[in-house]
Amino acid sequence: MSDPVSAQKSARPAVFRRSFRKTFPSAVSGEGIYLWDTEGKRYLDFSGSAAVNFIGHGVPEIAAAMTEQASQLEFAHTSQFTTPVAEEYARELLEFAGENFRGGAVYFTCGGSESVETALKLARQYQVEIGQTKRYQVLSRTQSYHGSTLGALAVSGNKRRREMYLPMVREFAHVGIPYCYRCNYDCTDGCRNCGLEYAAELERAIEAAEGEGAAFIFEPVSGATLGAVVPPPGYLEKIAEVCRRSGVLLIADEVMTGMGRTGENFAIEHWDIAPDILIAAKGLSSGYAPLGAVIATKKVVDGIASGAFLHGFTYNAHPISLATGRAVLLRLQQQNLVHAADSGREGSVAAKLERSLSGLLDLKTVGDVRGIGLLQGVEFVSDKQSKKPFAPGLNFAGKVGAAALKRGLLVYPMQGCVDGTSGDHLLIAPPAVITPEQIDWAVEQLRQSIEEASR
Ligand SMILES: Cc1ncc(COP(=O)(O)O)c(C=O)c1O
């Protein structure tokens, strides 16, 4: 029998929350760009949760698609069946991913980390099956994040998220990542040179792997770790060429940047590069169901000559998640949301967001505002001239986040952009249905929150 006295004494909740030190509001409903808690307080979702929601909350058509699928067929195991929803959705996604993926195939998972694990194993099996049995190393970049499972953490560079688990993971080379606000190289020529220097680091790492390099994984635009850092001109084109030349598969992790968030269907389209494997999650279902996808080119699928990928999850290609993803894709196409997220298009809400956030640069603690489309970052400094970060213990970004929450504004605070430990920034990634008036309100609240944290 439970002891009511000791249960009362420990106020600890039964849910194993992200933190037992923090109190969380309890969310009960959502509509458009807003969420509400049990107290009736409204929050403007300026970060799309964690760059997840793209189509807006509470869209009835999505709930209807989920219900319809659940009432027809809730589940069938992928070792026994395929389903009409999986076949149709995979065709639609290949089409959405563009010409480079014609004749390819889509492997469905339940999220970003599962998709990264899947891509790593697919790359290895591909290399083995084409006779490159020595190739198993997956190279990646220092300030990056690819997920929280051990394989995904091994190829991530986010120090805070992986340090404790390092003894448990197999480490491969991590190369530098272009971060022009704090560049390691000479950035005075508008970043024409530094991108090539960073690409040369990858070339050297592949050589040092002595024929054991299987793949290179990267985020086209840095997500949470650096906060929407856009690569310099020529960089991605060069790494794509280096990988192709060395027989190393190119894996674009578009968990955060995919499905329209940056103003193209996938961010790689801004640089016209052609990865061998493309990973999507987050915006794929806009958060309505757990869903991820690994989109492989024809070359990779053809390479699995045995015809069977040695991998699987019980819940991969779950019919309800897939019906959700299909309805989300239809919604974002019908509502032209990729256009709304195009910051290069005059009059788009993304252009408005970029302009409004840039206005924060007059604050003494805002060092940099950067990003593309509806994925923007705001970096804080204690001194603008020297770009000196705040002491990590101050948790400046967390303070801004808490001040914003108080005002009914959700943002995504992060630390570690400078060196993995210090450096504070916010990620701003609202749903694409946000209006210019809502952006004005949100940026004003953010300004007040930054001022409050700076006092
Ligand atoms: C680029 C990237 N890859 C992978 C992941 C992991 O995705 P998930 O949290 O859905 O497992 C994330 C999550 O933030 C991400 O941003």
Side-chain angles (χ1 to χ4, degrees):
M1 249 179 53
S2 70
D3 170 0
V5 178
S6 61
Q8 253 178 17
K9 251 200 241 157
S10 105
R12 199 165 66 198
V15 171
F16 206 129
R17 297 181 183 173
R18 288 234 172 183
S19 168
F20 288 119
R21 292 196 307 264
K22 196 175 141 186
T23 49
F24 294 88
S26 185
V28 284
S29 62
E31 192 185 328
I33 57 153
Y34 296 110
L35 290 172
W36 282 265
D37 70 14
T38 43
E39 308 291 308
K41 180 169 173 176
R42 190 182 79 171
Y43 303 83
L44 189 151
D45 189 2
F46 210 25
S47 53
S49 299
V52 177
N53 189 296
F54 190 64
I55 65 163
H57 297 279
V59 175
E61 286 83 349
I62 311 300
M66 296 173 81
T67 310
E68 194 188 328
Q69 181 62 53
S71 56
Q72 261 181 36
L73 172 72
E74 82 296 339
F75 178 73
H77 198 274
T78 47
S79 65
Q80 295 162 331
F81 290 99
T82 183
T83 56
V85 67
E87 299 299 331
E88 284 153 20
Y89 184 36
R91 275 196 296 274
E92 289 164 5
L93 264 185
L94 284 176
E95 183 75 29
F96 187 74
E99 192 57 35
N100 180 46
F101 294 92
R102 180 160 296 177
V106 185
Y107 193 100
F108 291 111
T109 73
C110 292
S113 302
E114 275 190 11
S115 294
V116 169
E117 298 291 336
T118 301
L120 302 185
K121 288 172 72 178
L122 180 58
R124 166 66 181 157
Q125 188 171 337
Y126 167 83
Q127 297 288 9
V128 171
E129 294 221 15
I130 65 162
Q132 296 285 318
T133 50
K134 261 184 77 187
R135 292 185 183 270
Y136 68 94
Q137 297 190 26
V138 180
L139 311 181
S140 61
R141 303 188 300 178
T142 46
Q143 289 275 60
S144 60
Y145 182 63
H146 297 290
S148 62
T149 48
L150 292 176
L153 262 192
V155 295
S156 296
N158 188 308
K159 198 167 154 190
R160 283 173 176 260
R161 290 181 176 176
R162 66 191 218 115
E163 208 159 45
M164 183 191 299
Y165 305 104
L166 278 184
M168 300 166 75
V169 303
R170 183 83 189 259
E171 279 257 70
F172 309 121
H174 290 82
V175 298
I177 178 169
Y179 175 21
C180 291
Y181 181 59
R182 298 178 185 279
C183 192
N184 290 339
Y185 297 102
D186 176 15
C187 258
T188 49
D189 60 349
C191 294
R192 299 231 153 249
N193 169 57
C194 71
L196 299 182
E197 294 281 3
Y198 284 106
E201 281 190 32
L202 174 63
E203 200 160 9
R204 288 194 294 275
I206 291 174
E207 270 166 34
E210 296 181 337
E212 292 180 349
F216 172 65
I217 185 166
F218 71 103
E219 298 160 88
V221 177
S222 164
T225 315
L226 286 184
V229 166
V230 179
Y235 168 71
L236 288 180
E237 296 89 327
K238 187 71 189 172
I239 60 165
E241 182 216 310
V242 166
C243 287
R244 201 175 323 112
R245 214 177 340 107
S246 345
V248 167
L249 292 183
L250 187 63
I251 306 176
D253 179 349
E254 295 232 27
V255 166
M256 206 175 255
T257 54
M259 304 308 293
R261 166 100 12 231
T262 69
E264 293 280 0
N265 291 2
F266 287 94
I268 45 161
E269 293 162 36
H270 290 289
W271 297 276
D272 207 16
I273 59 165
D276 300 293
I277 298 173
L278 181 62
I279 300 172
K282 294 192 185 258
L284 191 61
S285 70
S286 240
Y288 283 78
L291 181 62
V294 179
I295 307 174
T297 53
K298 182 174 186 306
K299 173 181 107 177
V300 172
V301 185
D302 285 350
I304 308 294
S306 66
F309 181 23
L310 287 174
H311 180 67
F313 303 104
T314 297
Y315 287 142
N316 62 248
H318 194 285
I320 300 173
S321 292
L322 301 189
T324 312
R326 265 196 100 192
V328 167
L329 179 59
L330 185 66
R331 176 87 179 177
L332 76 85
Q333 287 176 321
Q334 280 176 342
Q335 305 237 314
N336 244 335
L337 296 184
V338 184
H339 266 76
D342 181 0
S343 46
R345 199 173 59 84
E346 200 42 50
S348 68
V349 282
K352 160 77 181 164
L353 178 70
E354 206 169 78
R355 239 186 352 264
S356 302
L357 288 173
S358 299
L360 297 173
L361 279 166
D362 65 0
L363 293 171
K364 68 178 194 310
T365 51
V366 174
D368 193 29
V369 174
R370 56 194 175 230
I372 183 165
L374 290 173
L375 190 67
Q376 299 284 324
V378 178
E379 181 168 338
F380 302 111
V381 287
S382 69
D383 178 64
K384 259 194 185 171
Q385 202 67 38
S386 64
K387 303 182 181 175
K388 189 173 170 229
F390 285 101
L394 210 59
N395 189 13
F396 188 84
K399 279 201 175 123
V400 175
L405 189 75
K406 213 169 58 186
R407 290 170 169 80
L409 181 74
L410 298 172
V411 292
Y412 186 166
M414 281 291 290
Q415 287 194 284
C417 54
V418 175
D419 54 11
T421 307
S422 63
D424 288 82
H425 63 275
L426 297 181
L427 204 63
I428 305 293
V433 292
I434 194 165
T435 64
E437 295 71 31
Q438 290 163 335
I439 291 174
D440 283 337
W441 183 86
V443 173
E444 179 51 32
Q445 302 311 306
L446 183 54
R447 169 179 289 276
Q448 289 176 24
S449 307
I450 297 169
E451 281 169 345
E452 184 183 323
S454 310
R455 266 179 226 134

